[in-house]
Amino acid sequence: LSSFSLVEFSSSLQLGLTMNLYTDYTYTDSYRDAITLMPEDTLFFQVTLQTNNSFASDVLLQVESCWATESTDPQDTVQGVLLQNGCPVDYTFCWLSVNGLEQESRFSVEMFTMPQG
């Protein structure tokens, strides 16, 4: 399972971001199809900055916010907030890489239930 977004870096440059869900802490195998998760499962995420030109090769990624929705709309009013202003909101949130020092960030969080709308 993955998502791709374009982020405007400057008025003339857009950078891509991908977010993938992996099977475990090795980040070797990502989920490719719909999956069923159990309450005791841990989710392993990787967010990667996609840079295709030399100018952006020096750009680093710092993840400031992360949330889940039950729909495909990222602006859905019912959100399970995991990270806000760079700080974990969910007590099970764990950085697995140093945020802001590379073009990718890795973190895990235990399975959660969505808040009631």
Side-chain angles (χ1 to χ4, degrees), residues 13-104:
L13 180 63
Q14 288 185 332
L15 300 174
L17 283 177
T18 57
M19 183 174 191
N20 293 298
L21 178 60
Y22 285 82
T23 59
D24 62 30
Y25 67 91
T26 65
Y27 289 88
T28 304
D29 298 312
S30 64
Y31 290 109
R32 305 233 180 257
D33 299 308
I35 57 172
T36 300
L37 296 168
M38 303 305 291
E40 65 274 7
D41 287 337
T42 300
L43 308 175
F44 296 91
F45 292 100
Q46 177 173 290
V47 181
T48 306
L49 185 62
Q50 305 296 312
T51 58
N52 294 327
N53 67 40
S54 59
F55 168 76
S57 65
D58 292 335
V59 175
L60 302 177
L61 173 67
Q62 182 159 344
V63 179
E64 290 289 321
S65 61
C66 182
W67 65 93
T69 66
E70 290 183 324
S71 73
T72 57
D73 178 7
Q75 302 307 318
D76 193 324
T77 56
V78 178
Q79 298 179 346
V81 178
L82 307 173
L83 182 72
Q84 189 171 42
N85 298 322
C87 297
V89 174
D90 184 292
Y91 74 94
T92 68
F93 187 102
C94 179
W95 288 111
L96 299 174
S97 66
V98 179
N99 189 30
L101 292 184
E102 300 180 26
Q103 292 188 340
E104 71 180 27

